[in-house]
Amino acid sequence: MKSPSIDLLNFQRENGQDIEPSATAFVLNSPANAARGREADTLFSYLVLTGNAIDVNLSDLELQKIISDAFFGFTGPLTSALKNTIEKINSMLMDANLRSTSKGAYRFGCMVICAIQQQRMTIVQAGPSRVYQLGSTVREFFDASLAGKGLGISPTPKMFFAQAMLSGNDAFVITLEQPIEWKMIIEGM
């Protein structure tokens, strides 16, 4: 069975106005040289970097290559490949932060990656993010204690793993800050 198609819309609003998105978001299909077990996977990545360090100013294409190599180059279970990808970005940020400590410059990250295999999506959150599945019902994926504070803070990043079954008309929304209106709507369901 073929994975569902993915339409990606990366936008950000602040005070009711559209602004330039601070997140790097992209979808990657498995390359021809994907490791065993990754040949049919599709990877979605959402990464927000914050802080003032300039050591980690990578282009979107450079980030795509690092993430693609870490995930699609990993042989083994899907969850291990996802964990490897998060750890790669965390290590990159930790190294940069250790190099720039004397300058008072740091770079932190919040990352959500999702691997799609047929009709199942495995979600990994590292940092304070919320993922919503909008379909016939609304499902929230969030656990602050497991997802932790983000990347670049500790050598061992905290991660929250979840799975969702996909249907044809599902939409997924990722947010770092839950709008108060959403909280009232979701709690009222």
Side-chain angles (χ1 to χ4, degrees), residues 32 41 45 87 118 130 176:
D41 293 350
S45 174
E87 288 173 341
Q118 297 180 357
R130 293 173 187 264
L176 301 185

Side-chain angles (χ1 to χ4, degrees), residues 45-117:
S45 174
Y46 177 90
L47 175 65
V48 176
L49 295 176
T50 60
N52 58 357
I54 58 171
D55 292 19
V56 192
N57 282 343
L58 298 172
S59 72
D60 287 356
L61 286 175
E62 290 169 316
L63 277 172
Q64 282 182 22
K65 176 151 179 35
I66 291 166
I67 291 168
S68 178
D69 290 349
F71 179 77
F72 291 112
F74 190 89
T75 302
L78 176 66
T79 53
S80 296
L82 291 165
K83 182 176 182 255
N84 180 63
T85 306
I86 296 273
E87 288 173 341
K88 175 71 176 174
I89 298 298
N90 186 65
S91 176
M92 186 179 73
L93 292 172
M94 281 294 299
D95 290 347
N97 287 342
L98 291 173
R99 283 192 311 272
S100 63
T101 298
S102 63
K103 301 173 195 167
Y106 299 94
R107 182 69 88 186
F108 304 107
C110 180
M111 188 172 194
V112 176
I113 56 175
C114 306
I116 300 170
Q117 293 181 326

Side-chain angles (χ1 to χ4, degrees), residues 85-164:
T85 306
I86 296 273
E87 288 173 341
K88 175 71 176 174
I89 298 298
N90 186 65
S91 176
M92 186 179 73
L93 292 172
M94 281 294 299
D95 290 347
N97 287 342
L98 291 173
R99 283 192 311 272
S100 63
T101 298
S102 63
K103 301 173 195 167
Y106 299 94
R107 182 69 88 186
F108 304 107
C110 180
M111 188 172 194
V112 176
I113 56 175
C114 306
I116 300 170
Q117 293 181 326
Q118 297 180 357
Q119 300 303 115
R120 186 184 73 220
M121 183 163 72
T122 303
I123 303 163
V124 184
Q125 294 165 260
S129 63
R130 293 173 187 264
V131 177
Y132 296 94
Q133 181 180 14
L134 310 174
S136 57
T137 61
V138 175
R139 185 171 174 203
E140 179 181 25
F141 301 95
F142 173 72
D143 189 320
S145 64
L146 293 176
K149 294 181 180 179
L151 303 176
I153 298 168
S154 164
T156 308
K158 288 189 169 191
M159 296 175 233
F160 173 62
F161 289 78
Q163 284 193 343

